[in-house]
Amino acid sequence: MDTPPNITDRTALTHHRDRALPDALFLHDVVADEFQERLIEVNRTFTKIAIVTGFPEFWAAKYPDATIVGDDDTLALEVETYDLVLHTLALHWANDPVGQLVQCRRALKPDGLFLAASFGGQTLNELRTSLAEAEIAVTGGLSPRIAPMGEIRDLGGLLQRAGFALPVADGTPLQVSYANAFHLMHDLRKMGENNALSDRIKTFTPRNMLTEAATIY
């Protein structure tokens, strides 16, 4: 089996998450509410729950009886053990997204339910474009700065490739406004979602490049 590419610097990602502030995890609050609504619609009682997350304290508070595991390449999940598995805003950092989904499927009991929340392909599109244009203008080059995120059709395809029965992928648009790009980038740091890509440039970004990006934004 081919080894998946090393997209994410896990050491940097862990460091960023450790510095995240609880009051900045509002997107996880949104996802928790969305999960709750979906589970009410399912109208089932789940007795063995596992949650895959990069923010264990947050999700342990929401589901005190759940098994909480990190979103590592190899998930610490027991096979055919859980009737509900939740994957929470971490798939964009996975080196092998399909592999993680397969592990979640294998962890389910027969007729178990899997719910995942992931950032869609248009997430941070304005910032991604602004940074790219500014970097080309200032340095003449281009480096990875925002993790890749799948469109809904792509995410649905991942579920099919992972072998889930009756897969459904849909989107929940959520618009968050900021005064400028600097406020947004500051909030991303507070969320633990700043650049942790393995191929990122590891020196400080020139101030004039950030200023140019903010102007474009």
Side-chain angles (χ1 to χ4, degrees):
M1 183 177 294
D2 293 337
T3 302
N6 187 30
I7 297 172
T8 300
D9 180 341
R10 300 295 304 187
T11 300
L13 180 61
T14 299
H15 178 63
H16 295 165
R17 287 171 169 174
D18 287 344
R19 294 189 304 173
L21 302 179
D23 63 351
L25 301 181
F26 63 90
L27 293 177
H28 288 263
D29 277 313
V30 172
V31 168
D33 291 342
E34 183 72 17
F35 279 161
Q36 191 60 37
E37 290 183 15
R38 301 296 177 99
L39 293 174
I40 290 172
E41 293 174 359
V42 171
N43 194 26
R44 282 178 55 183
T45 299
F46 297 98
T47 59
K48 191 71 172 176
I49 303 172
I51 302 176
V52 180
T53 180
F55 295 92
E57 293 183 1
F58 176 94
W59 285 98
K62 297 290 184 180
Y63 294 86
D65 297 327
T67 298
I68 310 293
V69 303
D71 60 319
D72 304 304
D73 290 337
T74 301
L75 303 178
L77 295 172
E78 299 177 35
V79 176
E80 293 190 2
T81 300
Y82 312 97
D83 49 15
L84 175 64
V85 175
L86 305 177
H87 201 297
T88 65
L89 293 182
L91 204 58
H92 59 297
W93 292 121
N95 290 317
D96 182 11
V98 174
Q100 284 211 9
L101 295 177
V102 169
Q103 293 177 74
C104 290
R105 177 180 58 78
R106 290 175 176 169
L108 289 172
K109 295 178 181 178
D111 200 33
L113 176 66
F114 173 71
L115 291 177
S118 178
F119 294 116
Q122 296 305 305
T123 303
L124 298 179
N125 183 55
E126 298 94 339
L127 182 62
R128 189 191 306 271
T129 300
S130 300
L131 286 170
E133 291 183 11
E135 187 168 12
I136 291 171
V138 173
T139 71
L142 187 62
S143 63
R145 295 187 176 275
I146 296 177
M149 304 173 195
E151 300 290 349
I152 291 177
R153 181 179 299 177
D154 300 326
L155 296 173
L158 293 183
L159 292 172
Q160 290 182 321
R161 288 176 58 192
F164 282 102
L166 305 175
V168 176
D170 59 19
T172 302
L174 178 65
Q175 183 172 336
V176 183
S177 299
Y178 290 91
N180 54 53
F182 289 113
H183 282 79
L184 170 56
M185 288 185 281
H186 179 66
D187 221 19
L188 289 173
R189 284 192 292 270
K190 289 170 59 179
M191 296 177 190
E193 291 291 346
N194 40 322
N195 193 352
L197 295 170
S198 294
D199 291 338
R200 73 192 186 281
I201 292 178
K202 298 177 176 65
T203 55
F204 286 109
T205 301
R207 179 71 183 182
N208 61 332
M209 196 199 103
L210 292 176
T211 302
E212 178 67 15
T215 301
I216 297 169
Y217 183 87

